[in-house]
Amino acid sequence: MPDLTIQRIQAGLRSKEFSARELTQNYLQTIAQKDGDIQAFLAVYSNQALETATRVDEIIASDGILEPLAGVPIAIKDNILIENQKATAGSKMLENYTALYDAGVIRKLKKHNAIFLGKTNLDEFAMGSSTENSAYQITKNPHDLTRVPGGSSGGSTAAVAAQMAPAALGSDTGGSIRQPAHFCGVVGLKPTYGSVSRSGLIAMASSLDQIGPITQTVADAAIVFDAISGNDPYDNTSTQEKNQNTFANLDTQKAKGMTVGLPKEYFESGSDPEVNKALEEVIQYYQSQGVVFKEISLPHTKYGLACYYIIQPAQVSSNLARFDTIRYSPVYGIDSQQHDLEKLYIHSRSLGFGQETQRRIMLGTFVLSSGYYDAYYKKAEEAREYIRDDFQKAFGEVDTILTPVAPTPAFKIGEKTQDPLSMYLSDIFSVPASLAGLPAISIPTRKQPDSLPIGFQIIGQHFHESDILNLGHLYEQV
Amino acid sequence: MKIAKDEIKHIATLAKLEIPEENLEKFSQEFDSILGYFDELNSLAPRPILSIQAKKQPLRQDDTNLPNHFEKTEAIIQGFPEKQDRFAKVPTAIKDHKDQN
């Protein structure tokens, strides 16, 4: 049973076409067949997955109530905590760390009786755009094994693209759901900051981090978003608003009446011709459906990347200061008795953190240090205000905004690892929505045979996930 | 802006990291190119930062018996890499006075 969507799984389970156990076995088999090459998973939970599946089958047999995600297998990025399972965040620093509690999203998914297939690979602590920064393995793009899947949620997007899971959770700080979704040809939703609880997500840049779904269709993304969003008493930044019920309210008619902004700054700046061509086709399709497009300007777009790569490392250096190897997990190869406390910190952190993580901790420490705070961190916070204002003004004229996700399709493994700045540039179109806390979705364009996947991005207003899901859903009605 | 190797070393000390001598030059070059990219922010006029003043900041009750009280203290203690009784064990933090000379 290849290529099943969540909607198809829901129908199949309810009509008893297949059982949750058969379904789960099927995915576990696909993982066993394909993951040797793709290396999307860091851990596979065969026994627990089958146990949950059996429980769901019992509910079905007794005609009990099934939540929307009951019996749906899901892969989880390995920076999200599941009680009594390891959570490495792709780092040697947490090689031996077992989570003590469930993340907010996991608690919600457990109430649904969703099935956790396993944990997926990521750039260390979710820092990176290629999944090459994982301390454990390099995930390959299922469409071309010589290319990266994008990052940092590359394990999750590769798992869904290779049909090793019908859905996955990722986390997005500056594009870490949307950019790998674009590289792998799947749907990736970064919700509004505050829509989804960050409790139990290993913190990277706390003012930007957000968990979101990775799926094959927009409708599936809406189903998962509805399940994981909403208030969580363990996260004070989580929304107090009522759930939007985006799936039940999916409405292509509403999308057809929308005015969509095309920010000229996103189309002027040297994207690959194939990216622009793919987007033209998308715009033409929407126009044929009655959607109105309007050119807009987001004049401070060019400051987005510099702003992001100051604020993000600054928050990284603060959040990662907690990893001292005393409280969570030892770093192997360090004899704690051979050092005094200060030396133990320094040696363990130098051995436990990878190169990119150390680079960002250093950058963050620098921009926050007393001589440079005003020149960098404060300046970046000001730039963030300008970027927020740009969007706010634009949303006075348009309902949603359509842009590319990244300037190029998936690049080759190793192509950008020697030049950090060129790697950072692949986030240029995804960071502004993150800085402004806005919801944004990456949706695959119609793929040409023999070409790499290309996605497009729709950005919406705060807590208007319904708008971008409706517009995305319209694109899938061909 | 050129960041000297000594400054890289100082930042490493603040960050509790150790950059091997042979990597200092590479680090310094990478910092140059990344910080150079940040310079364009200087063309922006200063402005007040407003958004961090959240509209509504919920405060938790001043009460130890909250429904979401964290109950897994024992598990945290069990998870310490090295422990003695209920304490995380660390190497010497403060050197003996006589050892310092």
Side-chain angles (χ1 to χ4, degrees), chain A residues 160-238:
Chain A
V160 175
Q163 285 138 33
M164 295 190 284
L169 291 188
S171 67
D172 189 313
T173 304
S176 280
I177 288 174
R178 290 161 286 157
Q179 183 257 25
H182 151 79
F183 279 11
C184 288
V186 295
V187 173
L189 170 68
K190 183 206 88 79
T192 309
Y193 183 79
S195 266
V196 176
S197 168
R198 289 180 295 113
S199 167
L201 170 68
I202 295 175
M204 195 255 266
S206 305
S207 76
L208 298 156
D209 297 340
Q210 194 62 192
I211 295 172
I214 291 156
T215 53
Q216 294 192 52
T217 67
V218 174
D220 281 2
I223 295 171
V224 178
F225 172 72
D226 289 345
I228 62 172
S229 55
N231 186 252
D232 176 6
Y234 287 103
D235 175 3
N236 255 8
T237 61
S238 80

Side-chain angles (χ1 to χ4, degrees), chain B:
Chain B
M1 189 174 67
K2 184 78 186 162
I3 301 292
K5 281 195 213 171
D6 275 356
E7 191 141 23
I8 301 278
K9 273 192 202 166
H10 173 63
I11 300 292
T13 310
L14 292 176
K16 300 225 186 296
L17 291 171
E18 189 174 41
I19 310 290
E21 197 65 34
E22 64 268 26
N23 289 352
L24 284 174
E25 184 56 39
K26 189 169 160 257
F27 239 103
S28 165
Q29 281 168 7
E30 281 170 4
F31 258 59
D32 275 356
S33 84
I34 296 167
L35 294 175
Y37 188 77
F38 295 164
D39 282 345
E40 64 182 336
L41 293 180
N42 292 330
S43 61
L44 284 172
R47 58 173 290 169
I49 296 158
L50 300 170
S51 336
I52 48 173
Q53 299 158 4
K55 285 173 197 101
K56 218 165 100 186
Q57 190 67 270
L59 298 174
R60 74 161 180 81
Q61 285 167 267
D62 187 14
D63 183 351
T64 54
N65 291 313
L66 292 172
N68 55 0
H69 184 68
F70 191 79
E71 285 162 348
K72 293 184 180 136
T73 327
E74 277 312 313
I76 293 178
I77 293 166
Q78 288 312 311
F80 292 152
E82 289 187 60
K83 57 184 167 293
Q84 191 172 325
D85 304 327
R86 288 167 54 80
F87 299 98
K89 195 175 167 188
V90 297
T92 317
I94 303 166
K95 285 190 194 118
D96 190 298
H97 182 67
K98 278 172 282 179
D99 293 348
Q100 286 185 352
N101 294 312

Side-chain angles (χ1 to χ4, degrees), chain A residues 419-433:
Chain A
D419 182 1
L421 189 58
S422 81
M423 185 76 90
Y424 299 169
L425 285 168
S426 65
D427 300 339
I428 195 157
F429 298 142
S430 54
V431 296

Side-chain angles (χ1 to χ4, degrees), chain A residues 218 252 254-262 278-293 400-403 441-446 456-458 467-478:
Chain A
V218 174
T252 52
K254 273 193 191 154
K256 286 177 187 177
M258 269 184 201
T259 305
V260 179
L262 297 173
L279 261 77
E280 271 165 37
E281 184 272 324
V282 172
I283 293 165
Q284 274 166 18
Y285 168 76
Y286 276 132
Q287 282 171 331
S288 76
Q289 299 297 307
V291 177
V292 174
F293 284 88
T400 56
I401 294 170
L402 191 143
T403 77
I441 191 169
S442 173
I443 298 165
T445 60
R446 273 174 271 288
F456 65 99
Q457 174 173 241
I458 308 169
D467 290 348
I468 59 176
L469 290 163
N470 283 339
L471 191 61
H473 188 54
L474 174 60
Y475 184 70
E476 289 180 344
Q477 308 305 307
V478 183

Side-chain angles (χ1 to χ4, degrees), chain A residues 263-281:
Chain A
K264 60 178 183 178
E265 293 81 4
Y266 284 69
F267 291 90
E268 282 164 353
S269 53
S271 287
D272 260 29
E274 26 180 353
V275 170
N276 286 333
K277 214 177 117 199
L279 261 77
E280 271 165 37
E281 184 272 324

Side-chain angles (χ1 to χ4, degrees), chain A residues 57 59 89 99 107 126 138 173 181 183 187 189 246 293 325 340 359 377 414 424 438 443 457-458 464 469:
Chain A
D57 285 334
I59 298 172
R107 267 182 280 127
I138 294 177
T173 304
F183 279 11
V187 173
L189 170 68
T246 59
F293 284 88
T325 73
D340 65 29
R359 185 181 291 122
Y377 194 72
Y424 299 169
L438 299 167
I443 298 165
Q457 174 173 241
I458 308 169
H464 284 229
L469 290 163

